[in-house]
Amino acid sequence: MATAIEIAGGFQSRVPNRSFAGGAAVARVAGVSKSYGSVQALREVELSIHAGEVVALLGPNGAGKSTLVKLLLGLASPTLGRVSVFGGDPKDTVTRERVGSMMQVGGVPATMKVREHIDLFSSYYPKPLLMTDVIELAGLQGIEQRQFGELSGGQKQRVLFALALCGDPDLLFLDEPTVGLDVEARRGFWDQIRRLAARGKTVLLTTHYLEEADALADRVVVINKGSIVAEGTPASIKASTAGKKIRVVTRMTLSSIERMAGVVSVSYDREAVEIQTSAAEATLRELLAADGEVSGLEVSNAGIEEAFLALTK
């Protein structure tokens, strides 16, 4: 399988190239900066998104995620640089007809029925999906005749997803799509996203559920303070930034462990100590040499959460 090298903020990873057929980008952000008065929301951002990819955009609050999405949707213009979607201006009607985006709950009239909402949004597009297909894709069977305001939080999220699908978009923006869903419903939603990607659709996902990004994304883009600080597969980001996690019961103090080779952080976890390290073997050798009575030793790969925290400290 071909690979591409993505370099951002000193981080380098190999990105599987399954969705880069033809080399053309669905969306491209080139040297983009965006300022609101004296506040610089984005700083010289470079990003390409390719057909069939699920890209997770991660970052702390205020990092610039929303600004970047607004630029790609044509809801704002860059101060510097260029944004293109399907090779054109994201504000053009012909471009917007190929793009879908989840709205926020507050922007949807509460008294309209689910079916009425879908019918209205479908009328905005030249070649919308059939009503039955939208309802099936979003899992809305049985609630089509209910008013939006009567629905549960999870049902409302599914309606918002349905409205984003009405135009059969080639590029889909999902902002915190599984908020309010229970575990089973969230997993079902993940399956729908995977099916869309399998059909060649492109998805840009913003989420605070890091396990969601880990489970869904072909590529994770981490943005912090207006700049992209890391970009790569979830596995490559975890391996390159988070290292290993050691859990052990020991008599040693946290300050003693902190001075060991490779230790990034250390904290108590009930009766044990949890150590994040970039050099697990060296840390373990020192630990075992210093305390020959350690017990409950566990070594595992650090997760996406540890990687995210390391990148956005």
Side-chain angles (χ1 to χ4, degrees):
M1 183 179 292
T3 60
I5 299 295
E6 301 287 344
I7 302 174
F11 174 78
Q12 177 170 308
S13 66
R14 286 193 172 268
V15 184
N17 226 3
R18 71 166 183 83
S19 58
F20 294 175
V26 168
R28 191 182 299 277
V29 178
V32 164
S33 296
K34 176 64 177 177
S35 298
Y36 298 98
S38 61
V39 177
Q40 191 165 11
L42 295 176
R43 307 169 189 271
E44 300 180 359
V45 171
E46 298 276 348
L47 178 66
S48 295
I49 301 172
H50 300 263
E53 278 193 299
V54 178
V55 178
L57 181 61
L58 306 181
N61 291 331
K65 299 189 303 295
S66 296
T67 297
L68 182 55
V69 170
K70 285 179 181 178
L71 293 176
L72 288 165
L73 285 171
L75 301 177
S77 299
T79 306
L80 294 172
R82 183 172 182 268
V83 179
S84 63
V85 177
F86 301 115
D89 189 332
K91 295 182 180 181
D92 290 346
T93 300
V94 68
T95 301
R96 289 184 168 180
E97 288 174 348
R98 299 179 64 185
V99 174
S101 176
M102 279 186 70
M103 300 172 62
Q104 298 299 316
V105 172
V108 180
T111 56
M112 287 178 63
K113 295 178 181 179
V114 170
R115 192 177 187 90
E116 292 172 336
H117 278 298
I118 296 172
D119 189 51
L120 175 63
F121 268 72
S122 296
S123 70
Y124 299 151
Y125 298 94
K127 295 180 180 179
L129 286 174
L130 294 173
M131 172 79 71
T132 52
D133 291 339
V134 174
I135 289 172
E136 181 180 353
L137 281 169
L140 298 175
Q141 298 92 331
I143 63 172
E144 303 98 313
Q145 300 300 328
R146 293 180 60 185
Q147 291 185 353
F148 184 80
E150 297 175 347
L151 303 179
S152 68
Q155 289 171 333
K156 288 178 179 177
Q157 286 297 107
R158 292 204 295 274
V159 172
L160 298 178
F161 180 53
L163 300 185
L165 294 176
C166 284
D168 193 18
D170 294 312
L171 174 59
L172 184 62
F173 292 87
L174 301 177
D175 183 17
E176 303 290 341
T178 59
V179 170
L181 300 185
D182 58 31
V183 173
E184 183 178 0
R186 182 175 297 138
R187 301 281 174 162
F189 193 94
W190 293 359
D191 288 340
Q192 295 297 350
I193 294 175
R194 293 185 183 108
R195 291 190 187 104
L196 288 169
R199 291 174 52 204
K201 306 297 185 180
T202 305
V203 179
L204 180 64
L205 168 77
T206 64
T207 179
H208 281 97
Y209 295 124
L210 298 182
E211 63 164 336
E212 189 162 84
D214 199 7
L216 284 176
D218 300 300
R219 187 156 50 108
V220 171
V221 176
V222 183
I223 188 169
N224 191 34
K225 298 179 181 178
S227 299
I228 293 178
V229 295
E231 185 175 353
T233 64
S236 66
I237 286 183
K238 287 185 289 186
S240 298
T241 62
K244 299 281 187 179
K245 189 190 304 181
I246 299 171
R247 190 176 187 277
V248 64
V249 177
T250 177
R251 297 172 299 177
M252 298 188 66
T253 64
L254 297 188
S255 59
S256 299
I257 298 173
E258 283 176 344
R259 294 192 292 269
M260 291 181 176
V263 172
V264 176
S265 65
V266 58
S267 60
Y268 285 114
D269 179 21
R270 290 161 292 182
E271 77 285 356
V273 172
E274 195 168 89
I275 306 164
Q276 185 181 331
T277 173
S278 60
E281 292 82 1
T283 304
L284 281 170
R285 281 194 293 268
E286 283 197 44
L287 182 65
L288 294 171
D291 183 0
E293 297 183 10
V294 298
S295 61
L297 181 62
E298 300 174 14
V299 181
S300 60
N301 290 322
I304 192 73
E305 182 174 344
E306 288 82 9
F308 175 79
L309 292 173
L311 289 164
T312 57
K313 273 199 271 190

